[in-house]
């Protein structure tokens, strides 16, 4: 909807020491207050001040991040609306977590150029700038159309359509009981409604878990580098980290004592697992190395398997192929600066469909090809790894979260013994939100469903 | 030859359910009003089912009453049965329905009209409108009378080029063999109005004395006295029951064997029928796996033996209709009195109207009811009332009254019609309202009495009663917020007796009332008020407290939309001059010409990006105007 409260990350992704998440709209301050703890709530601080505090997750009460928050009250702001700017550490993970929290509290993800558009609509920008805004909106529409198209064909979309149809039939059933109370349709009971709502809730939960790209872009693609000692794992790691400004974080509880590093490779954020292991275990015995790899591979979504160009394939190499079978995998044959001793035919056979990249990390050769292979693997060459991809997925996640909350509300109402038609309000809302995910929220289809599902008349 | 017939402020063409509300409202607001009808004996005639109300529709009747209309009062005086529907569900979907004595209903309404000042009821068929410079100036009748007026409301129902169809028999006719109105339809087309052809139908009527009721199930009215109008104090106690029976295999067999004789399938009928009111042949074709369909037998009045056979609407030939009737349990020996029929008629495409129901093409010309593509007496009456009000406001040179979607079902109805149009006769359904928890049967007075009073249709004493009720509700809710209910043995026993958990510690009354199983009556026992509350005040308190969470959620949505409602779009905006609008949006917007951004966003085929562009364009326009005045 127009003129609701919007939010977006206003600094380039993955770069810079700090990042800013902006919120604009009537509810900007209310929303920020729900996830911010400082000396005073933001609604009590002076306008145009910057306030130290931290962001927490209201569900778990867990502290997420130390922040500085600017509060800017309308009309003396860029958009002439109430604005909040959350300044946080510039890592992709923390910025995204904050953005997701804000979205969950009811802000909508801003479209490209939307802050500027607001500024204009509220009379902040002069006429000469208007054309530029129009172009922005138009450009956005074209791109959004493309995205929408590719999503319509996607699995996510199909699943959501199925889910929506199930909801629609349920809603139509409730409606027929309401609008035709004497019609001899089976009465929709709270029991049936509960069953349907639970099914939908679980499916949305699964969707949220498997919204693969969205998850990757939010959390980073968990990646592991495996290979025998001295094939160049450390060099590869250092190379990726050096080239891509890694952000080292230490998130307790995610993996035991393992340090993870984040790098952004051409728009694909990689979460490199067990980097400590790689650095420390270059010289441990092969057997232990393989065992350790087996464990880490289980958690990984992408496996970078490194082989030595200069040596023959060993049993350990073949073992590594085996344990990483079935994962997204890129085979890297390193040390092309040395003579070829590896059996390339066999490597190709073992790699199957997986891409093979030859590198000489020593001479800095082949790194571009590797990065390109990573990007291709995850965007399948179709999508630009631009903000837009990220945006549209973030939007999905936010909407799916809202749908999940809405269907949970419905279930809660069922538990509380609310009348069917009240429960139905949240069920319908779930259906509408899911419609927004796939860009289809036509109200009329409920009425169509009503008349095709039931034989009604006077 | 024509002659000068007189000068009026407002002329209403038609005296059906839309026409009578339009005429009464306009006259009561002080406009000198002429109401013309084809046949004085068909005022407020019910050509189809003898009932008023039901889900959504019943709420419209309450709204009509809160705004000062007549339908509620009239049915309160003339019904044979009343029932509250959906009592097992939440308050938002409860609705009252009455079975009407359709003859009494007409007589009572005609009497009210005759006794109303400023209102002249006259028989006459309007053939032409007098138009000068795109403004309506009066009407000319078949008998040559030329009446002048500043505003005209057209409520011609299903009479425009009406055509009755029974089997292969088809003839020009209004409903139930009334005279059709032919020339006015052609005249409207000449004036440039886009028309559509719609179809509806009615079942046969049978003689009650030939029905074996022992083979049917009784459907009695409620024992509790009920009324639509907030002003009604006298209740009808002796009610007549309706009866339920079913079609069977044999019925379906006869229909299937005679489908080739059905005008629906032979192509005689061209008009679009409503999906929600299919003929029995339609039901059997489309839902072939349903073994039986319900048939309700509804008396048409106290002084007649005629019974309406609800569920058997049909246009099959008369002999087939008779055979079908005989297959229904209880109707084996039934004597049919009138056959069912289908009727086709002309309606205007309602996107040609402003939300005030004034036509965009001709100033001062309003249309209401089935001519706007709706079906149902209540939908017609709601529009008639609004058209009458807006015609009178126009005479007073005041802004029109436009109800929005969060204020009334009438608002939903009219907004749907003028914004989206309709490709079949439009029926109100609760699911068409996005804020149905706000649009309840019980709070129609709280929503609309203020407005009714402002326009002069609600008198002082009723208005004061409304204010008092509002105050009492407010005070009682405040009291419950502060009243502590302590833990007592008797109290906990009472709670247990209604299946509620006993209290462990003291609780505010308001918190206890939020429990689904706790009614206001129980609260009144545990924390008695100083004076016992009226039942309708108690009801409001209970609903407002119990469903507060849901209500405030919907209120929030309404609030959010308000900004877009408040962004007005000029009537004369040129959508072709706006760069970047999608072609479809451009066409649709040019046709509908929405008055606010919110309305624009509801036009089908208009995307959010079109709305963005429109917003920016309007803002540019403002800047340009400022710039030009500064020069």
């Amino acid at each position: 909807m127009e003129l609701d409260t919007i939010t977006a990350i206003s600094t380039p992704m993955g770069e810079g020491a700090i990042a800013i998440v902006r919120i604009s709209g009537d509810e900007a301050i209310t929303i920020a207050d729900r996830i911010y703890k400082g000396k005073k709530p933001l609604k009590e601080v002076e306008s145009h001040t910057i306030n130290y505090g931290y962001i927490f997750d209201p569900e778990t009460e867990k502290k997420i991040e130390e922040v500085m928050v600017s509060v800017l009250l309308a009309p003396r702001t860029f958009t002439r609306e109430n604005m909040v700017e959350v300044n946080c550490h510039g890592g992709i993970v923390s910025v995204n977590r904050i953005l997701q929290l804000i979205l969950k509290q009811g802000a909508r993800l801003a479209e490209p150029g939307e802050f500027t558009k607001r500024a204009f609509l509220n009379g902040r920008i002069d006429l000469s700038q208007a054309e530029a805004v129009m172009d922005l909106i138009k450009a956005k529409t074209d791109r959004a159309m493309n995205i929408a198209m590719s999503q319509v064909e996607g699995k996510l979309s199909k699943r959501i359509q199925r889910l929506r149809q199930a909801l629609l039939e349920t809603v139509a059933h409730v409606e027929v009981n309401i609008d035709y109370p004497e019609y001899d349709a089976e009465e929709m009971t709270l029991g049936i409604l509960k069953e349907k709502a639970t099914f939908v809730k679980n499916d949305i939960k699964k969707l949220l878990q498997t919204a693969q790209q969205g998850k990757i872009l939010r959390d980073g693609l968990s990646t592991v580098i495996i290979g025998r000692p001295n094939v160049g794992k450390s060099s590869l790691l250092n190379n990726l980290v050096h080239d891509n400004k890694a952000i080292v974080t230490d998130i307790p509880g995610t993996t035991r004592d393992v340090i993870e590093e984040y790098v952004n490779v051409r728009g694909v954020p990689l979460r490199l697992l067990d980097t400590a292991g790689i650095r420390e275990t270059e010289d441990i015995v092969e057997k232990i190395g393989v065992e350790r790899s087996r464990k880490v591979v289980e958690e990984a979504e992408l496996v970078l398997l490194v082989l030595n160009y200069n040596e023959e394939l060993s049993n350990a190499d073949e073992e590594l192929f085996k344990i990483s079978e079935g994962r997204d995998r890129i085979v890297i044959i390193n040390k092309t600066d040395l003579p070829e001793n590896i059996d390339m035919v066999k490597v190709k056979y073992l790699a199957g469909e997986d891409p093979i990249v030859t590198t000489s990390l020593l001479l800095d050769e082949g790194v571009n090809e590797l990065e390109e292979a990573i990007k291709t693997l995850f965007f399948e060459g179709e999508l630009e790894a631009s903000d837009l991809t990220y945006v549209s997925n973030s939007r999905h996640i936010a909407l799916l979260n809202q749908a999940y909350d809405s269907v949970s509300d419905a279930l809660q109402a069922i538990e509380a013994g609310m009348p069917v038609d009240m429960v139905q309000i949240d069920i319908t809302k779930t259906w509408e939100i899911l419609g927004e995910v796939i860009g289809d929220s036509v109200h009329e289809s409920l009425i169509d469903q009503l008349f095709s599902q039931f034989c009604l008349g006077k | 030859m024509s002659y000068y017939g007189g000068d009026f402020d407002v002329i209403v063409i038609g005296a059906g359910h839309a026409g009578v509300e339009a005429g009464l409202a306009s006259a009561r607001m002080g406009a000198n009003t002429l109401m013309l009808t084809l046949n004085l004996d068909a005022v407020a005639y019910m050509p189809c089912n003898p009932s008023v109300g039901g889900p959504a529709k019943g709420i419209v009747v309450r709204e009509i009453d809160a705004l000062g209309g007549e339908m509620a009062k009239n049915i309160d005086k003339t019904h044979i049965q009343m029932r509250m529907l959906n009592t097992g569900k939440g308050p938002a979907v409860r609705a009252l329905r009455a079975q009407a004595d359709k003859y009494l209903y007409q007589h009572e309404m005609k009497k009210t009209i005759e006794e109303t000042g400023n209102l002249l009821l006259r028989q006459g068929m309007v053939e032409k409108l007098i138009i000068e410079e795109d403004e309506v100036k009066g009407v000319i009748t078949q008998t040559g009378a030329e009446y002048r007026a500043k505003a005209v409301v057209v409520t011609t129902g299903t009479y425009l080029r009406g055509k009755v169809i029974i089997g292969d028999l088809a003839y020009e006719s209004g409903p139930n063999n009334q005279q059709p109105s032919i020339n006015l339809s052609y005249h409207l087309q000449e004036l440039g109005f886009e028309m559509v052809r719609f179809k509806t139908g009615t079942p046969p009527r049978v003689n009650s004395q030939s029905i074996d009721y022992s083979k049917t199930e009784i459907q009695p009215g409620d024992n509790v006295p009920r009324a639509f109008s907030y002003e009604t104090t006298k209740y009808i106690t002796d009610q007549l029951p309706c009866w339920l029976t079913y079609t069977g295999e044999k019925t379906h067999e006869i229909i299937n064997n005679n489908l080739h004789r059905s005008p629906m399938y032979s192509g005689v009928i061209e008009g679009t029928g409503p999906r929600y009111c299919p003929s029995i042949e339609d039901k059997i074709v489309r839902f072939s796996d349903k073994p039986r369909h319900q048939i309700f037998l509804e008396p048409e009045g106290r002084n007649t033996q005629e019974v309406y056979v609800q569920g058997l609407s049909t246009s099959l030939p008369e002999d087939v209709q008779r055979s079908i009737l005989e297959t229904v349990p209880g109707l084996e020996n039934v004597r049919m009195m009138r056959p069912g029929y289908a009727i086709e008629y002309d309606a205007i495409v309602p996107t040609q109207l402003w939300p005030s129901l004034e036509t965009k093409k001709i100033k001062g010309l309003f249309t209401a009811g089935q001519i706007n593509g709706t079906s149902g007496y209540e939908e017609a009456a709601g529009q008639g009332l609004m058209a009458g009000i807006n015609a009178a406001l126009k005479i007073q040179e005041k802004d029109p009254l436009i109800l929005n979607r969060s204020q009334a079902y009438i608002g939903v109805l009219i907004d749907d019609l003028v914004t989206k149009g309709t490709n079949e006769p439009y029926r109100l359904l609760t699911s068409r309202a996005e804020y149905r928890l706000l649009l309840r049967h019980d709070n129609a007075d709280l929503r609309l009495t203020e407005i009714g009073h402002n326009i002069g249709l609600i008198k002082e004493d009723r208005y004061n009663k409304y204010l008092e009720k509002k105050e009492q509700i407010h005070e009682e809710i405040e009291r419950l917020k502060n009243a502590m209910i302590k833990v007592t043995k008797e109290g906990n026993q009472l709670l247990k007796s209604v299946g509620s958990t006993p209290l462990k510690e003291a609780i505010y009354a308001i918190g206890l009332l939020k429990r689904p199983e706790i009614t206001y009556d129980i609260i009144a026992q545990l924390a008695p008020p100083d004076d016992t509350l009226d039942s309708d005040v108690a009801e409001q308190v209970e609903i407002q407290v119990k469903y507060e969470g849901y209500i405030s959620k919907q209120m929030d949505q309404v609030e959010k939309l308000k900004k877009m409602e408040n962004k007005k779009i000029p009537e004369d905006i040129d959508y072709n001059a706006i760069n970047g609008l999608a072609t479809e949006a451009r066409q649709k917007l040019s046709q509908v010409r929405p008055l606010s951004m919110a309305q624009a966003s509801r036009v089908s085929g208009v995307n959010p990006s079109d709305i963005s562009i429109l917003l920016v364009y309007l803002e540019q326009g403002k800047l340009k105007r400022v710039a030009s005045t500064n020069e």
Side-chain angles (χ1 to χ4, degrees):
Chain A
M1 200 195 322
E2 292 288 340
L3 308 180
D4 47 359
T5 298
I6 53 172
T7 183
I9 299 172
S10 299
T11 38
M13 289 299 301
E15 285 168 44
I18 61 156
I20 297 173
V21 184
R22 250 181 186 176
I23 318 172
S24 176
D26 283 356
E27 292 174 52
I29 290 157
T30 327
I31 286 172
D33 258 337
R34 284 188 215 134
I35 56 163
Y36 166 84
K37 266 201 188 104
K39 234 165 136 188
K40 280 192 224 168
L42 297 172
K43 65 170 193 276
E44 286 170 22
V45 305
E46 294 276 316
S47 182
H48 293 76
T49 56
I50 189 153
N51 306 275
Y52 169 80
Y54 63 90
I55 298 292
F56 68 99
D57 183 340
E59 270 171 33
T60 59
E61 299 277 326
K62 240 183 174 173
K63 215 170 176 176
I64 302 293
E65 173 89 24
E66 274 184 305
V67 289
M68 301 287 284
V69 178
S70 311
V71 172
L72 308 151
L73 291 181
R76 277 200 307 133
T77 71
F78 176 61
T79 57
R80 291 216 172 156
E81 298 174 331
N82 287 341
M83 288 189 80
V84 171
E85 293 181 354
V86 181
N87 297 255
C88 58
H89 299 297
I92 183 165
V93 183
S94 54
V95 189
N96 265 317
R97 278 204 188 157
I98 292 170
L99 180 67
Q100 290 298 332
L101 282 175
I102 294 169
L103 290 171
K104 246 188 140 173
Q105 296 306 316
R108 173 172 62 75
L109 194 69
E111 312 267 1
E114 199 167 7
F115 284 95
T116 318
K117 190 180 99 187
R118 291 264 165 122
F120 174 73
L121 287 178
N122 294 320
R124 177 75 160 65
I125 301 180
D126 67 29
L127 188 58
S128 61
Q129 284 166 284
E131 285 304 316
V133 179
M134 292 285 264
D135 288 345
L136 243 171
I137 296 166
K138 257 188 281 178
K140 182 221 91 189
T141 317
D142 296 342
R143 267 184 295 168
M145 288 286 279
N146 287 334
I147 293 274
M149 282 308 292
S150 63
Q151 278 163 359
V152 163
E153 291 155 8
K155 277 185 196 161
L156 175 74
S157 173
K158 274 189 197 133
R159 246 175 104 172
I160 287 183
Q161 273 164 2
R162 267 208 304 276
L163 217 47
R164 287 191 90 216
Q165 187 56 30
L167 281 171
L168 188 60
E169 280 165 23
T170 312
V171 170
H173 198 145
V174 177
E175 293 297 334
V176 83
N177 290 155
I178 292 169
D179 271 318
Y180 296 87
E182 284 156 340
Y183 175 72
D184 51 353
E186 179 195 0
E187 193 76 14
M188 177 60 87
T189 60
L190 284 178
I192 307 175
L193 215 50
K194 184 177 174 181
E195 200 179 294
K196 302 258 182 186
T198 310
F199 163 76
V200 169
K201 182 179 165 178
N202 290 339
D203 220 43
I204 294 176
K205 195 172 181 182
K206 270 188 232 153
L207 270 179
L208 273 168
Q209 283 163 351
T210 56
Q212 190 63 11
Q213 270 200 354
K215 186 171 160 290
I216 291 165
L217 289 165
R218 189 186 55 196
D219 295 343
L221 174 68
S222 57
T223 305
V224 63
I225 301 173
I226 56 172
R228 287 187 291 121
N230 292 317
V231 293
K233 284 179 294 180
S234 284
S235 314
L236 177 60
L237 176 66
N238 290 337
N239 206 306
L240 285 174
V241 170
H242 178 75
D243 271 14
N244 297 293
K245 294 184 185 167
I247 306 108
V248 182
T249 60
D250 186 357
I251 300 164
T254 42
T255 38
R256 298 148 300 275
D257 50 349
V258 172
I259 292 182
E260 300 175 354
E261 294 185 38
Y262 287 81
V263 295
N264 189 331
V265 177
R266 308 202 175 183
V268 184
L270 301 187
R271 181 157 60 98
L272 295 168
L273 302 177
D274 195 25
T275 51
I278 292 168
R279 290 200 170 105
E280 284 163 14
T281 59
E282 273 292 25
D283 49 6
I284 59 168
V285 282
E286 279 186 12
K287 182 110 170 44
I288 301 171
V290 170
E291 275 316 303
R292 184 157 183 149
S293 298
R294 193 193 301 277
K295 267 191 201 157
V296 191
V297 163
E298 272 172 33
E299 290 177 30
E301 288 154 315
L302 172 64
V303 175
L304 302 178
L305 171 55
V306 190
L307 303 172
N308 191 338
Y309 187 72
N310 189 231
E311 286 173 21
E312 284 180 34
L313 279 173
S314 71
N315 286 341
D317 284 328
E318 292 197 36
E319 190 67 17
L320 289 171
F321 266 108
K322 215 187 263 171
I323 64 170
S324 57
E325 196 61 55
R327 312 243 152 207
D328 281 312
R329 181 171 62 189
I330 296 174
V331 178
I332 298 151
I333 303 171
N334 189 31
K335 303 198 181 179
T336 52
D337 44 296
L338 297 173
E340 173 177 344
N341 283 321
I342 199 166
D343 179 355
M344 283 302 281
V345 177
K346 184 141 192 215
V347 170
K348 274 178 191 154
Y349 165 74
L350 289 169
E353 304 272 309
D354 297 332
I356 299 171
V357 181
T358 50
T359 60
S360 166
L361 294 166
L362 188 73
L363 304 177
D364 217 10
E365 280 170 12
V367 178
N368 272 336
E369 286 78 4
L370 173 61
E371 294 190 351
E372 199 56 36
I374 293 172
K375 180 185 148 189
T376 308
L377 198 60
F378 276 88
F379 293 108
E380 284 161 355
E382 286 172 22
L383 291 168
E384 273 302 307
S386 63
D387 274 359
L388 197 64
T389 318
Y390 161 76
V391 159
S392 80
N393 285 301
S394 222
R395 195 181 71 94
H396 285 173
I397 294 163
L399 285 169
L400 285 172
N401 270 319
Q402 282 174 29
Y404 185 81
D405 288 349
S406 182
V407 75
S408 304
D409 283 352
L411 278 165
Q412 236 171 40
I414 293 170
E415 289 304 324
M418 280 286 172
V420 170
D421 56 289
M422 295 288 187
V423 175
Q424 194 258 11
I425 292 176
D426 288 317
I427 302 268
T428 309
K429 197 175 154 202
T430 311
W431 176 74
E432 282 170 355
I433 296 169
L434 288 177
E436 273 182 61
V437 176
I438 55 172
D440 170 30
S441 217
V442 191
H443 205 66
E444 197 64 19
S445 52
L446 169 60
I447 287 153
D448 291 339
Q449 181 68 31
L450 200 61
F451 294 119
S452 59
Q453 196 174 338
F454 300 99
C455 173
L456 306 162
K458 63 175 172 180
Chain B
M1 281 305 288
S2 67
Y3 74 97
Y4 169 69
D7 257 304
F8 296 87
D9 292 324
V10 175
I11 294 172
V12 178
I13 304 172
H17 304 282
V20 298
E21 294 292 349
L24 285 168
S26 139
R28 285 167 177 164
M29 286 170 71
N32 186 17
T33 305
L34 171 68
M35 194 188 291
L36 290 167
T37 173
L38 292 172
N39 181 353
L40 271 196
D41 298 325
V43 170
Y45 180 54
M46 297 183 171
C48 200
N49 55 325
S51 81
V52 167
K57 289 158 167 274
I59 303 178
V60 168
V61 180
R62 296 279 274 183
E63 291 172 354
I64 289 171
D65 186 63
L67 289 167
E70 198 58 32
M71 186 175 240
K73 289 185 191 119
N74 205 60
I75 187 67
D76 283 350
K77 286 185 268 187
T78 60
H79 62 273
I80 58 169
Q81 183 196 101
M82 241 191 235
R83 285 181 66 190
M84 185 65 92
L85 303 173
N86 287 334
T87 47
K89 305 188 181 86
V93 295
R94 274 171 221 157
L96 202 51
R97 192 190 55 209
Q99 294 301 130
D101 182 320
K102 60 161 69 171
Y103 300 98
L104 271 184
Y105 188 90
Q106 282 188 264
H107 295 157
E108 191 60 41
M109 188 64 88
K110 181 156 173 268
K111 189 168 149 242
T112 303
I113 291 166
E114 288 162 351
E115 290 169 2
T116 299
N118 289 336
L119 183 57
L120 174 60
L121 176 65
R122 181 168 284 171
Q123 190 161 293
M125 185 193 291
V126 172
E127 304 238 290
K128 267 196 158 84
L129 304 172
I130 304 168
I131 311 288
E132 289 166 12
E133 289 171 10
D134 293 336
E135 208 170 329
V136 72
K137 295 291 178 191
V139 303
I140 302 171
T141 68
Q142 191 185 25
T143 49
E146 201 180 302
Y147 299 105
R148 309 293 291 192
K150 296 171 196 128
V152 172
V153 184
V154 186
T155 67
T156 49
T158 57
Y159 287 74
L160 279 189
R161 284 212 308 134
K163 186 174 164 192
V164 161
I165 301 146
I166 309 169
D168 51 10
L169 174 69
Y171 53 93
E172 287 185 340
S173 172
N176 197 29
N177 293 353
Q178 297 275 327
Q179 232 188 128
S181 173
I182 309 288
N183 291 345
L184 185 58
S185 181
Y186 289 123
H187 179 62
L188 287 170
Q189 287 175 48
E190 276 166 24
L191 289 174
F193 285 102
E194 193 189 335
M195 313 289 282
V196 283
R197 195 101 175 123
F198 279 169
K199 174 234 141 185
T200 184
T202 196
R205 314 296 201 270
V206 297
N207 190 311
S208 176
Q209 296 193 314
S210 62
I211 298 173
D212 180 358
Y213 287 111
S214 68
K215 293 184 177 163
T216 66
E217 295 162 37
I218 190 163
Q219 305 272 304
D222 289 348
N223 287 324
V224 199
R226 302 201 185 273
F228 276 102
S229 173
Y230 290 90
E231 284 181 46
T232 296
T233 48
K234 272 199 266 174
Y235 300 92
I236 291 171
T237 46
D238 68 324
Q239 302 188 57
L240 298 182
C242 295
W243 308 85
L244 171 62
T245 179
Y246 296 91
T247 62
E249 248 172 70
K250 189 84 188 124
T251 326
H252 299 193
E253 192 187 314
I254 293 176
I255 292 169
N256 277 322
N257 289 341
N258 285 284
L259 274 184
H260 62 285
R261 298 180 66 196
S262 156
M264 287 299 292
Y265 294 92
S266 66
V268 176
I269 290 181
E270 295 158 16
T272 313
R275 286 170 299 177
Y276 49 80
C277 183
S279 57
I280 185 69
E281 49 269 34
D282 238 9
K283 291 187 205 173
I284 280 157
V285 171
R286 282 180 47 214
F287 295 88
S288 54
D289 54 338
K290 209 165 157 31
R292 60 178 200 175
H293 295 273
Q294 292 165 311
I295 303 287
F296 289 93
L297 302 170
E298 305 175 4
E300 296 224 313
R302 288 177 197 277
N303 295 312
T304 176
Q305 294 297 328
E306 249 187 289
V307 170
Y308 177 90
V309 187
Q310 197 227 83
L312 269 192
S313 173
T314 180
S315 55
L316 283 162
E318 191 174 283
D319 58 304
V320 183
Q321 292 191 26
R322 290 176 63 177
S323 310
I324 291 170
L325 283 170
E326 285 165 11
T327 63
V328 175
L331 303 184
E332 292 86 351
N333 299 306
V334 86
R335 294 200 303 272
M336 187 176 82
M337 294 179 72
R338 309 180 201 218
Y341 60 85
I343 183 166
E344 281 189 342
Y345 56 97
D346 287 348
I348 76 161
V349 173
T351 48
Q352 299 170 99
L353 306 173
W354 296 117
S356 62
L357 297 180
E358 186 176 10
T359 64
K360 291 169 187 168
K361 208 171 274 301
I362 293 168
K363 286 196 193 97
L365 183 66
F366 295 78
T367 61
Q370 263 175 307
I371 188 178
N372 288 347
T374 59
S375 92
Y377 312 140
E378 305 82 355
E379 286 90 339
Q383 291 173 69
L385 176 67
M386 297 310 293
I389 289 170
N390 284 327
L393 288 172
K394 184 147 189 120
I395 306 295
Q396 297 169 13
E397 296 180 354
K398 286 184 186 155
D399 285 341
L401 172 62
I402 295 164
L403 300 175
N404 61 43
R405 301 181 70 92
S406 58
Q407 269 177 316
Y409 269 100
I410 298 175
V412 174
L413 163 72
I414 294 176
D415 182 67
D416 275 350
L417 287 176
V418 305
T419 309
K420 293 185 184 138
T422 180
N423 48 22
E424 65 179 335
Y426 176 103
R427 181 206 206 269
L428 257 185
L429 297 162
T430 64
S431 48
R432 294 197 197 265
E434 48 280 70
Y435 312 116
R436 79 174 164 210
L437 192 48
L438 305 181
L439 307 183
R440 303 189 306 270
H441 165 90
D442 60 84
N443 71 352
D445 58 337
L446 298 173
R447 287 185 273 131
L448 301 169
T449 309
E450 191 84 49
I451 296 172
H453 179 251
N454 281 345
I455 53 175
L457 286 177
I458 294 292
K459 299 276 176 312
E460 284 314 309
D461 55 337
R462 176 162 168 193
Y463 180 61
N464 290 332
K465 270 188 206 149
Y466 148 80
L467 288 179
E468 200 181 309
K469 176 178 172 185
K470 212 170 121 179
E471 182 57 28
Q472 283 174 0
I473 296 165
H474 175 74
E475 276 176 11
E476 181 62 4
I477 291 176
E478 285 307 305
R479 185 185 76 86
L480 295 181
K481 279 185 192 163
N482 298 308
M484 264 292 189
I485 296 177
K486 298 207 175 73
V487 186
T488 62
K489 217 173 165 187
E490 301 76 43
N492 274 346
Q493 231 143 35
L494 181 63
L495 289 179
K496 263 193 235 166
S497 73
V498 294
S500 195
T501 324
L503 296 179
K504 290 207 181 79
E505 53 190 47
I507 182 173
Y508 283 112
I510 199 151
L512 192 59
L513 184 52
K514 279 187 198 278
R515 291 188 185 176
E517 68 280 5
I518 299 295
T519 60
Y520 176 81
D521 282 349
I522 295 183
I523 297 295
Q525 288 177 56
L526 294 172
D530 294 340
D531 302 303
T532 313
L533 265 59
D534 282 350
S535 62
D536 55 335
V537 174
E539 182 189 28
Q540 279 311 306
V541 170
E542 182 174 325
I543 290 171
Q544 289 185 20
V545 170
K546 210 177 265 313
Y547 303 107
E548 195 242 333
Y550 284 97
I551 293 172
S552 61
K553 247 196 236 175
Q554 296 212 325
M555 295 288 273
D556 284 352
Q557 287 172 20
V558 173
E559 243 357 88
K560 275 191 187 163
L561 202 68
K562 226 170 220 160
K563 277 192 191 164
M564 295 290 279
E565 297 282 359
N566 290 340
K567 292 233 174 212
K568 297 296 174 203
I569 305 174
E571 281 181 21
D572 56 356
I573 187 169
D574 178 8
Y575 291 99
N576 288 318
I578 306 175
N579 258 325
L581 273 186
T583 314
E584 191 188 0
R586 198 184 299 257
Q587 284 167 353
K588 290 280 175 59
L589 288 168
S590 302
Q591 190 194 5
V592 174
R593 284 192 270 161
L595 296 177
S596 72
M597 288 306 302
Q599 195 194 349
S601 66
R602 289 192 292 268
V603 174
S604 53
V606 174
N607 295 319
S609 58
D610 299 317
I611 294 298
S612 285
I613 287 167
L614 193 53
L615 271 172
V616 171
Y617 177 82
L618 288 175
E619 205 55 41
Q620 272 177 307
K622 261 186 230 160
L623 284 172
K624 274 179 192 154
R625 275 196 297 280
V626 173
S628 63
T629 49
N630 286 346
E631 275 162 19

